[in-house]
């Protein structure tokens, strides 16, 4: 299911602005494969293409920052996702455009100002797949600086969160609970 395939376009994700520091200096890339997969300890996994400078950086330092993009950061996501630190100093370029970064608390990377949530992670496992590598990171610090809405990525488009579904009535939920009990093992 390659990128752009109608089947992979059915997924809905956040976009992580992944910060790292290593061979290519401080860097930030856009990463739709950013997923929270465990609560205690907090674990976040990334899928990163080995061709990305971020891959070299994280492999070297075994740490990365996750900055979940807000709805105001769609252009930043595009810029971080269409330029490589292999070719340009992306942080300097982005700073020139007015984007702001701050120092992480527990790891040696920058973090992105204006993100929905920040998580500083240390790599506990690296799994090489074919076109991507999975970095499994334990969260060593996570915080929210501003109450913002996350950017949604779906079908190659940047979207806003939609309206919440109305909950079924209490009566209906009671009915289903009773019915489920009839099938108890
Ligand atoms: C919205 C968006 C999502 C992306 N998601 C991923 C991803 O999940 N994994 C990945 O390896 N690259 C992803 N990319 C591409 C990288 O961000 C891109 O290759 C970037 O130039 C890598 O930067 P670097 O070489 O400085 O690390 C995405 C790009 C965009 C625009």
């Amino acid at each position: 299911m390659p990128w752009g395939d109608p089947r992979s376009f059915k997924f809905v994700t956040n976009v992580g602005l992944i910060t790292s520091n290593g061979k290519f200096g401080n860097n930030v890339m856009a990463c739709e494969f950013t997923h929270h997969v465990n609560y205690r300890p907090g674990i976040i996994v990334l899928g990163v293409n080995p061709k990305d400078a971020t891959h070299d950086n994280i492999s070297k330092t075994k740490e990365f920052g996750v900055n979940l993009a807000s709805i105001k950061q769609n252009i930043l996501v595009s810029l971080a996702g269409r330029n490589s630190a292999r070719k340009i100093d992306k942080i300097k370029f982005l700073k020139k455009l007015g984007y702001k970064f701050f120092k992480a608390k527990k790891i040696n990377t920058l973090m992105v100002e204006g993100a929905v949530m920040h998580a500083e992670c240390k790599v506990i496992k690296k799994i090489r797949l074919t076109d991507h590598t999975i970095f499994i990171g334990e969260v060593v610090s996570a915080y929210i600086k501003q109450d913002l809405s996350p950017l949604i990525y779906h079908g190659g488009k940047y979207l806003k969160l939609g309206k919440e579904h109305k909950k079924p009535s209490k009566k209906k939920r009671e009915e289903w609970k009773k019915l489920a009990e009839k099938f108890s093992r």
Side-chain angles (χ1 to χ4, degrees):
M1 301 197 299
W3 191 89
D5 184 300
R7 293 165 296 179
S8 44
F9 266 5
K10 291 295 176 202
F11 286 88
V12 178
T13 66
N14 285 97
V15 182
L17 285 161
I18 306 305
T19 46
S20 61
N21 189 3
K23 187 173 157 194
F24 292 95
N26 276 300
N27 190 25
V28 58
M29 74 166 261
C31 186
E32 61 173 306
F33 296 151
T34 303
H35 302 287
H36 183 209
V37 295
N38 196 66
Y39 294 124
R40 287 179 197 201
I43 304 278
I44 298 176
V45 298
L46 307 179
V48 182
N49 190 318
K51 289 178 193 150
D52 293 338
T54 298
H55 192 281
D56 284 51
N57 271 4
I58 302 178
S59 297
K60 178 111 204 291
T61 60
K62 298 185 172 50
E63 52 187 34
F64 59 85
V66 174
N67 304 268
L68 288 186
S70 86
I71 46 168
K72 294 180 184 167
Q73 290 178 315
N74 56 311
I75 292 171
L76 172 57
V77 163
S78 250
L79 294 169
R82 289 181 195 283
N83 290 284
S84 177
R86 287 187 190 280
K87 298 212 171 137
I88 62 161
D89 185 331
K90 224 190 290 184
I91 299 286
K92 276 194 185 152
F93 164 65
L94 292 170
K95 279 185 178 168
K96 187 79 185 164
L97 289 172
Y99 295 105
K100 293 196 167 52
F101 300 86
F102 63 95
K103 278 193 175 155
K105 298 173 187 173
K106 298 214 171 151
I107 58 173
N108 186 29
T109 69
L110 294 175
M111 302 298 276
V112 184
E113 210 58 86
V116 168
M117 194 277 295
H118 310 272
E120 302 176 11
C121 302
K122 291 202 184 259
V123 175
I124 54 170
K125 208 166 183 182
K126 175 181 170 184
I127 303 170
R128 185 70 203 261
L129 302 177
T130 51
D131 47 54
H132 281 68
T133 295
I134 306 298
F135 289 105
I136 305 180
E138 181 170 337
V139 177
V140 292
S141 178
Y143 40 94
I144 294 167
K145 291 180 73 169
Q146 281 166 280
D147 187 17
L148 297 163
S149 188
L151 182 72
I152 309 298
Y153 191 59
H154 172 67
K157 294 191 171 71
Y158 304 119
L159 307 168
K160 291 178 190 168
L161 275 179
K163 277 194 185 146
E164 189 181 342
H165 276 288
K166 215 177 140 193
K167 265 194 185 169
S169 67
K170 204 174 164 197
K171 196 175 153 217
K172 264 282 163 225
R173 282 183 280 146
E174 292 293 335
E175 248 177 69
W176 292 330
K177 198 177 161 200
K178 279 198 188 117
L179 181 64
E181 278 162 11
K182 283 193 185 162
F183 296 97
S184 64
R185 293 185 200 277

